[in-house]
Amino acid sequence: LRLMDKIFWEENKTMKKIFTIFVAVMALFLAVSCGPKENTDKKGYDYDAIPDTITADSYEIAFVTDIGQLKDKSFNQGTWEGIKRYAKENDKTYKYYQPANGDKATTDDRYNAMKSAVDGGAKIIVCAGFMQGDALGRAIVDFKDTKFVFVDGWAMGASNLTAIVFKEEQSGYLAGYAAVKEGYTKLGFSGGGNGTNPACQRFGYGFIQGANDAAKELGKTVSMRYSWLYGAAFSASDELTAMLKGWYTTGTEVVFSCGGSMCNSAFAAAAENGKKVIGVDVDQSNQSSTVITSATKGLREGTMEALAVFFNGEWDAKAADKAQNLGAEKDCVGLPTDTWSMVNFTKEQYQELFAKVKAGSISIDNDPAGAETKEYSNVKLEWFK
């Protein structure tokens, strides 16, 4: 009996070990499979679960990208995710087209991408970025039976084109105000497009105004380094990383990185120096632990709405030769408070500020012309050329 009892307990100990290991493995599995996805919105929608490429005889919805990568974690990606989600939820086929020659793409390259989309069966083509303008001017004439959505563009007097623009100055304002209220007094802005991109210009000018108003309320003067250097291609580069490292090592605390995948240079420089970044266009908090918040605009939502108008047969009434200018009044700009890492500036304070912007009781200038040379009462601007 003693021998049998010993065998029983030894086997029981073994079973306990096996059970413990099993529980640990299952816990790890659940943490990996059920934890937060890398690319989800605040409601947990997983955009990476929708494939970027599908096989079909023809493609009803096409996307012609701006310069930079499709998955730039910013402008292109936000627009593309809106297209994919709409297509998935409404059983539509879709495909993306990237103009030849990358950041050296010409008007002909962009036009040829649009023509390829038409040849591929596109009923509606979403074109991202103001640099598509000249190519679109030709395409809307040559392909009158195809509808075009010009994101960050303008109306062109054609019934087969609609434009979606955003009030980036509002989102930039909210980011600048929040950063200063959080306690940052040494700021930076690194923008894309060499200072010629209207959206980036509005983001940056709004950022200055928000920082200035918050500093004025606190009775402080804050410094801000401001530059369009190394942003022509809206891409990360060794030169941009080196410049931002220099900023961080000489006092800059947080940089508003505004320009597609330029953010990767900002993330690297901030991480190396234990400093912070403000993201842009979409919530970039899941891209780097350095991101304290992001100045977002409703790229997904605006794109999905334009597609819905077309496929619901409302194009002529709601979209033809119109430009929608989306801002706080439509909840299409703002800061994602569910994922930010603010401590001193509370969600309640943000909501109060946002309500004032939404109501128009805070005046935010949307004309960035000469922003770098203007005088600001509580921001000392250092212009990097």
Side-chain angles (χ1 to χ4, degrees), residues 97-339:
Y97 298 81
Q98 293 184 291
N101 297 311
D103 62 346
K104 302 295 192 300
T106 64
T107 295
D108 285 342
D109 294 328
R110 295 185 176 90
Y111 175 86
N112 289 336
M114 295 172 198
K115 183 178 184 304
S116 294
V118 173
D119 293 342
K123 297 177 181 178
I124 184 167
I125 301 174
V126 180
C127 302
F130 81 110
M131 289 167 45
Q132 308 272 14
D134 290 341
L136 271 170
R138 291 166 52 186
I140 57 177
V141 173
D142 293 348
F143 312 118
K144 292 185 181 297
D145 293 333
T146 305
K147 299 299 189 289
F148 294 86
V149 179
F150 191 4
V151 182
D152 273 4
W154 54 90
M156 295 186 174
S159 62
N160 60 335
L161 181 140
T162 196
I164 301 174
V165 292
F166 297 91
K167 298 178 182 178
E168 292 92 355
E169 71 280 359
Q170 294 180 342
S171 201
Y173 179 96
L174 294 167
Y177 187 98
V180 173
K181 285 289 189 174
E182 180 66 9
Y184 296 106
T185 59
K186 297 178 179 179
L187 315 178
F189 172 81
S190 174
N194 278 355
T196 63
N197 180 284
C200 290
Q201 288 177 304
R202 290 191 293 268
F203 268 128
Y205 185 33
F207 187 63
I208 300 173
Q209 294 175 74
N212 191 71
D213 282 359
K216 188 185 302 182
E217 290 177 13
L218 294 172
K220 295 181 178 180
T221 297
V222 301
S223 62
M224 183 183 297
R225 289 165 167 165
Y226 201 93
S227 180
W228 302 103
L229 288 173
Y230 315 118
F234 295 89
S235 299
S237 67
D238 292 341
E239 294 82 3
L240 178 58
T241 303
M243 182 184 79
L244 297 182
K245 283 182 181 178
W247 285 10
Y248 283 129
T249 57
T250 54
T252 299
E253 298 165 315
V254 59
V255 170
F256 181 17
S257 173
C258 181
S261 57
M262 289 171 64
C263 62
N264 290 317
S265 281
F267 297 160
E272 185 171 320
N273 291 277
K275 299 298 177 66
K276 300 300 180 181
V277 174
I278 295 171
V280 76
D281 288 335
V282 298
D283 182 0
Q284 295 186 316
S285 61
N286 55 9
Q287 309 298 335
S288 171
S289 61
T290 65
V291 175
I292 59 170
T293 191
S294 301
T296 67
K297 60 186 185 182
L299 290 163
R300 295 164 176 158
E301 296 79 8
T303 300
M304 291 176 69
E305 175 62 22
L307 294 172
V309 165
F310 171 70
F311 284 106
N312 290 342
E314 301 173 305
W315 182 272
D316 290 344
K318 294 185 176 181
D321 193 28
K322 291 181 173 65
Q324 295 187 66
N325 194 5
L326 305 176
E329 72 285 352
K330 295 284 189 180
D331 294 319
C332 281
V333 298
L335 308 181
T337 58
D338 288 345
T339 58

Side-chain angles (χ1 to χ4, degrees), residues 52-96:
D52 291 322
T53 58
I54 62 172
T55 301
D57 294 331
S58 64
Y59 301 91
E60 299 161 284
I61 306 172
F63 177 42
V64 176
T65 69
D66 196 5
I67 59 174
Q69 304 168 5
L70 176 71
K71 295 297 186 71
D72 62 358
K73 303 176 183 178
S74 185
F75 184 67
N76 278 332
Q77 185 167 332
T79 307
W80 180 230
E81 287 170 356
I83 292 171
K84 290 197 303 178
R85 180 169 180 175
Y86 180 86
K88 177 178 174 60
E89 293 179 350
N90 294 276
D91 196 26
K92 304 296 181 184
T93 55
Y94 57 93
K95 185 175 180 177
Y96 71 88

